[in-house]
Amino acid sequence: MAKWGQGDPRWIVEERADATNVNNWHWTERDATSWSKSKLKEVLVGLAVEGEAGRCEISDLKHVEGEASCSSRKGKLIFFYEWNLRLSWKGTVKESGEKHKGSVEIPNLSEENEVDDTEINVSKKKGEGDALKDLMRTEGTTKVREALRDYLKALKTEFTLGMILPTKATVGQELATEQKLSGSTMQESVSPQSLDTVGVKIPTVKILMREIFNSPADELYSIFTTKDLVQKFSKCPAVIEAEKGGKLQMFDGCVSGEYAELVPSQKIVLKWRCRNWPDEHYATVALNFKDMAAQTELQLECKGVPISHEASTRQCWKKQHFEEIRILLQRSPSPANME
């Protein structure tokens, strides 16, 4: 019990912008289920192994059952995850060119077991091609375990960013260290003296990407602004209000924001964020469409991405946006036919 006139430090609100959960004492919890489903698909689908027998690849995440969450208490993070996964794999025999399919079962990925001790079962549909099954059981299983470790690492770093809040005494030291490590990539910083007026800023980077699509600019523009088309390539319900100030929400809420500027067939500017970023932090995304007859060059500029999320943000745009849009265009070249 605190002495009279001193107050219990667990309840003292420091001079900080958020004035909540001071010294990270109180219990907070964040649901990681939807984020985990997207991350597991990202790290597992597309894994490939090659050997003397041929080549195998994880083609789909067919079944995902379970949940995940992260809690913080007294400045410590507590993780819970329990997953039952079923993956599909396909392979090609090197000599004959025969194609075979199978599945990978992971019945209990949880915090109770180390990844190396997690059960992974590989099976194949009837017929020949047991050499491919053996390839998946050996090298394939090794790759899958590496991917599961990547998921758990991201769960404990990317997803939890912002759960352990910086205090006024430490934030200046942390940012100074980050600035030394990142050098010129630091776009924003803050000195301890400025915390009382502007709060805590974070170091960010700018991402530039260019992609060529076999589609006219007006059709590619439609894919980013039409709800039905966004839902087709993202494979999730979406909120698309393609007008200035209109809302944007994709991938079960993992990505959200609003439309800041729209120039039909030429440009889209978004206020954009991933759910696991620090609260209320947004990047500015500019999509510029350069018409090249039957093709379009899409230029992406994403400013204000938290440094710790640079790689995952690139993956989000490349894997979940651009690659899926290409698949959509291959299936139905004209958006008029896709709606």
Side-chain angles (χ1 to χ4, degrees):
M1 185 174 180
K3 293 181 181 180
W4 178 260
Q6 290 185 352
D8 192 324
R10 290 172 293 182
W11 301 97
I12 295 175
V13 178
E14 294 182 355
E15 294 178 328
R16 51 178 292 152
D18 49 67
T20 59
N21 200 14
V22 174
N23 294 322
N24 304 288
W25 183 265
H26 304 298
W27 177 278
T28 61
E29 185 172 355
R30 186 182 291 179
D31 184 4
T33 302
S34 293
W35 178 89
S36 291
K37 289 180 179 180
S38 296
K39 178 58 71 171
L40 284 165
K41 181 178 180 181
E42 176 187 320
V43 299
L44 288 166
V45 176
L47 285 181
V49 291
E50 291 190 43
E52 293 183 1
R55 183 181 187 276
C56 297
E57 177 182 325
I58 301 295
S59 56
D60 194 12
L61 180 55
K62 295 289 289 184
H63 177 77
V64 186
E65 181 183 9
E67 59 182 328
S69 64
C70 178
S71 306
S72 67
R73 177 75 166 98
K74 299 182 181 179
K76 295 182 179 180
L77 294 174
I78 304 166
F79 297 93
F80 170 82
Y81 53 92
E82 188 172 28
W83 295 106
N84 183 336
L85 309 174
R86 184 171 71 251
L87 310 167
S88 296
W89 65 267
K90 59 184 180 181
T92 304
V93 178
K94 192 171 186 179
E95 292 184 358
S96 65
E98 291 180 356
K99 297 185 182 298
H100 297 275
K101 295 181 180 180
S103 62
V104 178
E105 300 276 352
I106 306 172
N108 185 26
L109 174 66
S110 72
E111 78 281 357
E112 296 179 355
N113 303 309
E114 296 291 335
V115 172
D116 287 340
D117 298 325
T118 299
E119 184 180 356
I120 298 178
N121 301 314
V122 177
S123 60
K124 186 186 71 64
K125 291 186 177 181
K126 292 181 179 180
E128 298 180 357
D130 286 339
L132 292 180
K133 181 180 175 182
D134 291 338
L135 178 62
M136 283 300 299
R137 276 179 171 170
T138 54
E139 295 185 34
T141 297
T142 299
K143 284 270 191 177
V144 169
R145 292 191 194 280
E146 289 175 359
L148 296 178
R149 291 189 191 94
D150 289 342
Y151 155 67
L152 294 178
K153 181 179 179 181
L155 176 64
K156 296 175 181 180
T157 54
E158 292 178 19
F159 181 78
T160 59
L161 188 65
M163 289 193 71
I164 299 298
L165 301 173
T167 63
K168 183 177 177 180
T170 61
V171 68
Q173 296 174 353
E174 292 173 356
L175 288 177
T177 300
E178 289 178 353
Q179 191 169 17
K180 289 179 181 177
L181 293 173
S182 59
S184 61
T185 60
M186 178 78 76
Q187 290 186 337
E188 295 182 324
S189 62
V190 63
S191 64
Q193 292 81 5
S194 64
L195 284 171
D196 294 335
T197 57
V198 301
V200 177
K201 292 187 178 181
I202 63 172
T204 63
V205 293
K206 178 169 67 174
I207 293 175
L208 299 174
M209 301 176 72
R210 292 190 179 190
E211 300 285 333
I212 302 293
F213 292 89
N214 294 322
S215 169
D218 58 339
E219 293 183 354
L220 187 59
Y221 177 91
S222 295
I223 292 178
F224 285 93
T225 55
T226 305
K227 180 179 178 180
D228 289 344
L229 299 181
V230 170
Q231 292 182 155
K232 280 182 180 293
F233 83 74
S234 66
K235 301 180 179 65
C236 291
V239 175
I240 301 295
E241 300 172 356
E243 59 183 18
K244 187 173 182 179
K247 300 301 180 186
L248 165 76
Q249 190 174 89
M250 300 172 61
F251 307 112
D252 289 327
C254 288
V255 168
S256 61
E258 66 179 50
Y259 290 88
E261 181 183 353
L262 297 104
V263 181
S265 305
Q266 297 181 36
K267 185 178 185 180
I268 300 172
V269 179
L270 302 167
K271 181 182 175 184
W272 189 91
R273 64 175 270 108
C274 291
R275 182 163 54 195
N276 59 334
W277 288 8
D279 291 344
E280 301 304 319
H281 180 82
Y282 287 83
T284 299
V285 172
L287 299 168
N288 290 285
F289 302 83
K290 185 178 179 182
D291 203 339
M292 302 164 59
Q295 292 185 319
T296 300
E297 181 184 76
L298 178 59
Q299 301 173 349
L300 176 142
E301 180 184 84
C302 191
K303 295 190 295 185
V305 177
I307 284 178
S308 57
H309 290 265
E310 179 181 4
S312 61
T313 301
R314 285 184 182 275
Q315 282 288 96
C316 175
W317 281 104
K318 187 162 187 68
K319 296 286 188 181
Q320 296 176 262
H321 287 76
F322 300 152
E323 290 187 8
E324 293 298 333
I325 288 173
R326 283 198 176 88
I327 293 173
L328 181 63
L329 288 170
Q330 288 172 1
R331 290 174 182 167
S332 297
S334 171
N337 298 327
M338 289 188 277
E339 293 185 42

